[in-house]
Amino acid sequence: MKRIAPWLILLAACHVASAVETTGDDAEWTSLFNGKNLDGWTVKCRPADQDKIGYWQVVNGAITAETPPGSKHHYIWLLTEKEYGDFSLRLKVQTYRKTTGNSGVQVRSRYDDAAGWLDGPQVDIHPPGPWRCGFIYDETRGAQIWLWPDVGRPANAKPEHAPQGWKWSHADDREVWNDVQITCQGTQITTVINGVTVADYDGTGRLDDEPHRSRNVGMKGRIGLQIHPGDELLIRFKEIEVRQP
């Protein structure tokens, strides 16, 4: 029998290892933002705000939402054209201490053009009170309460509800981005902010209840970014990637 040279065995092993690496978790992530324009996304808002869709734009390779001082607008959403059910989402978010406005990341949501309203769960991004980043709010009509923490109406959320060791950095004085990861699996939604798990929410009996089923949200829908009514907002998003099972 002819013996195989040791260097050939080593070379073959390296090829196998390389193949395993390219089929790992990282290979499954798909970019939702090309860094150049808003292809794959659509702006949704009420007719009175159609002249303000330019509040969403791409600046220096990041999706940027900026509202001018004194702007009178309702919600202005940037939504994916595709829908997602079970998935993991990761992105980087940049905020500023001077911002007084609110934003968030919608999951499994849907915009009702006739009503001018977006239904579905939202992962909160709140620059004025960053302890709230990663909390989960339900924008669905008939609900409009915190899902996590389970404290009811918006004003009921307090700093003591944030997890120990929560972290969020503003970019007023230095170039810094925050890592946000959201996982939706069945009725479970988990949020991780800068490596700290914030919410681990089981929505059984709510995300799949009749109000959510009737609006076809909670379990499947679009991913979205929010401009909230009122106050001034400057927020940036980049490296937005999704992974599906």
Side-chain angles (χ1 to χ4, degrees):
M1 180 183 294
K2 186 175 181 180
R3 297 185 62 185
I4 300 175
W7 68 269
L8 286 175
I9 296 174
L10 179 60
L11 181 61
C14 290
H15 280 302
V16 170
S18 176
V20 170
E21 287 179 1
T22 59
T23 56
D25 287 345
D26 285 345
E28 300 174 9
W29 290 97
T30 300
S31 177
L32 296 181
F33 170 51
N34 62 21
K36 300 176 182 179
N37 53 48
L38 296 177
D39 287 357
W41 298 79
T42 183
V43 177
K44 288 289 187 179
C45 61
R46 294 182 174 181
D49 291 324
Q50 282 294 321
D51 61 336
K52 302 176 183 69
I53 62 175
Y55 287 1
W56 287 109
Q57 54 185 312
V58 177
V59 179
N60 296 328
I63 294 177
T64 302
E66 184 171 11
T67 63
S71 175
K72 304 296 183 183
H73 60 270
H74 202 256
Y75 292 98
I76 304 175
W77 302 98
L78 183 67
L79 304 179
T80 58
E81 294 176 351
K82 293 183 179 180
E83 296 185 3
Y84 300 88
D86 289 347
F87 64 90
S88 291
L89 177 73
R90 66 185 183 187
L91 65 157
K92 293 185 179 295
V93 183
Q94 188 175 74
T95 60
Y96 300 85
R97 193 174 294 105
K98 63 182 180 181
T99 289
T100 57
N102 172 262
S103 186
V105 181
Q106 293 289 141
V107 296
R108 296 169 162 181
S109 300
R110 198 174 307 277
Y111 192 79
D112 184 337
D113 287 293
W117 192 264
L118 183 134
D119 298 290
Q122 178 192 120
V123 176
D124 195 37
I125 304 293
H126 192 57
W131 50 267
R132 231 171 69 177
C133 293
F135 286 18
I136 306 173
Y137 184 76
D138 194 351
E139 293 279 1
T140 306
R141 287 166 287 176
Q144 294 173 279
I145 59 172
W146 290 110
L147 298 176
W148 194 100
D150 184 12
V151 294
R153 297 301 172 187
N156 295 344
K158 305 296 181 185
E160 54 263 32
H161 297 133
Q164 186 174 6
W166 69 270
K167 295 181 289 185
W168 189 270
S169 299
H170 291 307
D172 300 74
D173 304 319
R174 60 192 177 100
E175 180 73 7
V176 61
W177 292 80
N178 298 280
D179 293 314
V180 176
Q181 183 156 340
I182 304 165
T183 301
C184 297
Q185 183 68 41
T187 55
Q188 197 84 16
I189 301 178
T190 304
T191 67
V192 180
I193 306 294
N194 291 322
V196 178
T197 298
V198 176
D200 193 8
Y201 171 70
D202 185 356
T204 302
R206 179 169 292 277
L207 295 180
D208 55 356
D209 65 9
E210 193 282 330
H212 289 79
R213 290 198 310 271
S214 67
R215 303 191 191 283
N216 196 19
V217 298
M219 299 300 293
K220 184 178 181 179
R222 303 184 192 280
I223 295 168
L225 308 175
Q226 180 200 63
I227 293 176
H228 195 281
D231 297 315
E232 294 180 36
L233 178 68
L234 174 58
I235 189 168
R236 308 178 73 216
F237 306 87
K238 70 176 184 178
E239 297 179 26
I240 307 172
E241 298 176 316
V242 68
R243 183 175 66 192
Q244 297 175 278

